[in-house]
């Protein structure tokens, strides 16, 4: 075990914290997607999508749950389904909570900790022991409010793997080194949103795939997060990619990319006005007139051969950096 820990450097220590932070990220999803009966049948089935099992579906009277939609976030695959039910939020979350059994846990052996030469990692492992103690009765995350609810868990690929065991430490170190967290487990979340007018509850299921990589959510040597830029759309010089989302819909491909950079709002607007035209994009006079009348020159809209592109430029009031969000909507078979 000694060689496993001696290689760990400070950047990798940050990855350790990133893995632990997945749990907090799950809670963040619940908060971010926040506020936007009769008995029903609940049945579990497994849908094989790529290498990942789908979230168990919550069935209801009209069977209106969508087919899984694939959404690529910073180069990592996630899946999403949307459905609805007349059940209340507590009952829906109880359903999912009962479908995932807790992972066996054991305390990290003191002899293993003594072999760790990296001080930062040793402190982290000591902290992991405290976390494991807390996880014994609570391996799921849950939040309920009047209008919405959230549930999340990490389902390990090996249900018999003991958290805190020597085997777990090896797998954990490998995930830190490579970023390949998807080889350890699947992140699963459920968001339940109550519609006050119809009394229906919308159920959003999201889960990660086996390709989920922590490195895609850390900047590379150029400061870019994982993912890719939108073809034929210029990028302000010196900016860094923060977020890249791709989704294939029934009739369209949808892409969103967000950048952070400098140059000022006006400088960025002038850059895109010039470069988008050079790249063959056309402005919409009616849209420009409306935006100009509302003093929203920082929101631009372009079209090009079956594609629609919007660009929103704003200054982050905390950092002073310029945040540029670009969306691209492309018709299939265009």
């Amino acid at each position: 075990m000694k060689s496993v820990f001696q290689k760990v450097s400070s950047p990798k220590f940050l990855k350790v914290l990133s893995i632990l932070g997945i749990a907090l990220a799950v809670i963040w999803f619940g908060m971010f997607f926040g506020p936007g009966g009769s008995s029903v049948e609940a049945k579990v089935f497994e849908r094989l999508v790529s290498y990942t099992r789908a979230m168990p579906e919550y069935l209801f009277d009209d069977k209106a749950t969508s087919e899984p939609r694939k959404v690529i976030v910073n180069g990592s695959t996630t899946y999403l389904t949307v459905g609805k039910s007349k059940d209340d939020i507590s009952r829906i979350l109880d359903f999912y909570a009962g479908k995932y059994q807790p992972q066996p846990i054991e305390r990290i052996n003191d002899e293993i900790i003594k072999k760790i030469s990296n001080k930062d990692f040793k402190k982290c492992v000591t902290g992991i022991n405290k976390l494991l103690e807390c996880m014994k009765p609570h391996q799921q995350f849950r939040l309920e409010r009047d209008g919405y609810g959230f549930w999340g868990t990490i389902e390990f690929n090996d249900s018999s793997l003991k958290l805190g065991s020597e085997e777990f430490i090896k797998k954990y170190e490998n995930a830190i080194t490579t970023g390949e967290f998807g080889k350890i487990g699947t992140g699963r979340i459920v968001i339940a949103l109550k519609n006050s007018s119809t009394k229906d509850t919308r159920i959003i299921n999201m889960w990660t795939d086996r390709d989920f990589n922590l490195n895609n959510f850390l900047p590379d040597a150029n400061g870019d997060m994982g993912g890719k830029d939108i073809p034929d759309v210029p990028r302000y010089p010196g900016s860094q990619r923060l977020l890249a989302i791709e989704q294939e819909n029934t009739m369209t491909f949808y892409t969103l990319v967000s950048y952070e950079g400098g140059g000022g709002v006006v400088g960025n607007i002038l850059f895109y006005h010039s470069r988008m035209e050079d790249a063959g994009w056309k402005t919409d006079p009616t849209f420009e007139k409306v935006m100009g009348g509302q003093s929203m020159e920082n929101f631009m809209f372009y079209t090009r051969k079956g594609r629609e592109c919007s660009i929103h430029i704003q200054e982050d009031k905390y950092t002073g950096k310029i945040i540029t969000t670009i969306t691209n909507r492309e018709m299939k078979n265009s």
Side-chain angles (χ1 to χ4, degrees):
M1 286 295 294
K2 186 175 181 180
S3 62
V4 172
F5 297 108
Q6 284 182 328
K7 300 177 185 177
V8 179
S9 60
S10 293
K12 291 178 182 178
F13 173 67
L14 294 178
K15 288 186 185 179
V16 178
L17 299 181
S18 295
I19 292 177
L20 296 177
I22 289 177
L24 297 178
V26 166
I27 293 177
W28 178 86
F29 261 102
M31 298 297 292
F32 185 80
F33 287 99
S38 60
S39 176
V40 297
E41 178 188 9
K43 180 180 179 182
V44 176
F45 74 98
E46 296 296 331
R47 184 195 303 271
L48 187 63
V49 182
S50 185
Y51 299 101
T52 303
R53 288 176 301 161
M55 177 75 74
E57 185 173 2
Y58 194 90
L59 298 185
F60 37 84
D61 295 335
D62 56 5
K63 295 182 171 58
T65 297
S66 67
E67 293 295 312
R69 296 288 184 91
K70 182 167 71 173
V71 183
I72 310 298
V73 182
N74 285 20
S76 289
T77 304
T78 62
Y79 292 93
L80 177 150
T81 64
V82 180
K84 63 180 179 178
S85 171
K86 293 294 184 182
D87 273 8
D88 59 35
I89 291 173
S90 291
R91 183 167 183 175
I92 293 169
L93 299 187
D94 286 344
F95 167 79
Y96 288 103
K99 298 305 171 184
Y100 296 95
Q101 299 303 311
Q103 199 80 5
I105 293 177
E106 68 178 34
R107 182 180 176 82
I108 300 175
N109 192 300
D110 290 339
E111 292 301 315
I112 295 177
I113 297 178
K114 288 179 181 178
K115 295 177 182 179
I116 302 173
S117 59
N118 184 285
K119 292 182 179 179
D120 286 338
F121 191 68
K122 181 176 287 188
K123 289 180 181 178
C124 182
V125 170
T126 303
I128 290 174
N129 258 340
K130 295 179 181 179
L131 177 63
L132 292 175
E133 286 295 323
C134 295
M135 285 180 63
K136 281 184 179 180
H138 306 291
Q139 292 187 30
Q140 301 179 359
F141 306 92
R142 182 164 175 164
L143 176 68
E144 287 186 49
R145 295 292 184 267
D146 290 338
Y148 69 99
F150 160 79
W151 171 91
T153 192
I154 296 173
E155 181 190 19
F156 287 87
N157 298 335
D158 180 359
S159 61
S160 64
L161 178 66
K162 288 187 177 181
L163 305 186
S165 66
E166 184 171 329
E167 182 184 3
F168 169 75
I169 294 297
K170 289 180 179 179
K171 290 178 179 292
Y172 195 76
E173 193 274 343
N174 183 67
I176 295 167
T177 303
T178 65
E180 296 174 340
F181 183 80
K183 290 185 176 181
I184 291 181
T186 298
R188 299 184 180 278
I189 69 173
V190 175
I191 301 165
L193 306 174
K194 177 69 73 174
N195 186 319
S196 58
S197 58
T198 65
K199 305 303 180 182
D200 288 335
T201 300
R202 178 178 295 181
I203 305 168
I204 302 172
N205 288 320
M206 301 176 68
W207 64 97
T208 60
D209 202 351
R210 294 292 179 97
D211 71 352
F212 183 84
N213 194 306
L214 290 169
N215 291 337
N216 291 344
F217 299 87
L218 296 173
D220 62 15
N222 297 318
D224 285 339
M225 299 292 186
K228 55 188 178 182
D229 296 337
I230 300 173
D232 306 314
V233 176
R235 172 175 172 176
Y236 193 85
S239 61
Q240 285 85 41
R241 185 173 58 242
L242 300 178
L243 178 68
I245 298 176
E246 304 171 62
Q247 180 177 337
E248 180 178 352
N249 298 316
T250 304
M251 302 294 293
T252 62
F253 293 102
Y254 177 85
T255 310
L256 180 149
V257 181
S258 181
Y259 301 98
E260 179 184 74
V265 173
V266 174
N268 275 262
I269 291 173
L270 293 176
F271 169 83
Y272 280 102
H273 272 312
S274 173
R275 293 292 300 276
M276 289 293 281
E277 183 177 348
D278 292 342
W281 292 88
K282 297 181 179 180
T283 59
D284 186 313
T286 303
F287 182 88
E288 286 196 325
K289 184 178 180 180
V290 172
M291 292 298 102
Q294 297 180 2
S295 299
M296 293 181 62
E297 289 84 357
N298 63 330
F299 193 88
M300 296 166 278
F301 180 78
Y302 299 90
T303 60
R304 170 186 164 171
K305 298 177 181 178
R307 295 172 61 186
E308 297 176 344
C309 180
S310 66
I311 302 175
H312 185 214
I313 300 171
Q314 59 185 334
E315 180 179 335
D316 188 309
K317 64 179 181 179
Y318 298 107
T319 66
K321 296 282 189 176
I322 302 302
I323 305 298
T324 301
T325 303
I326 302 174
T327 62
N328 178 76
R329 181 174 178 269
E330 184 172 355
M331 299 298 296
K332 290 184 178 179
N333 303 320
S334 61

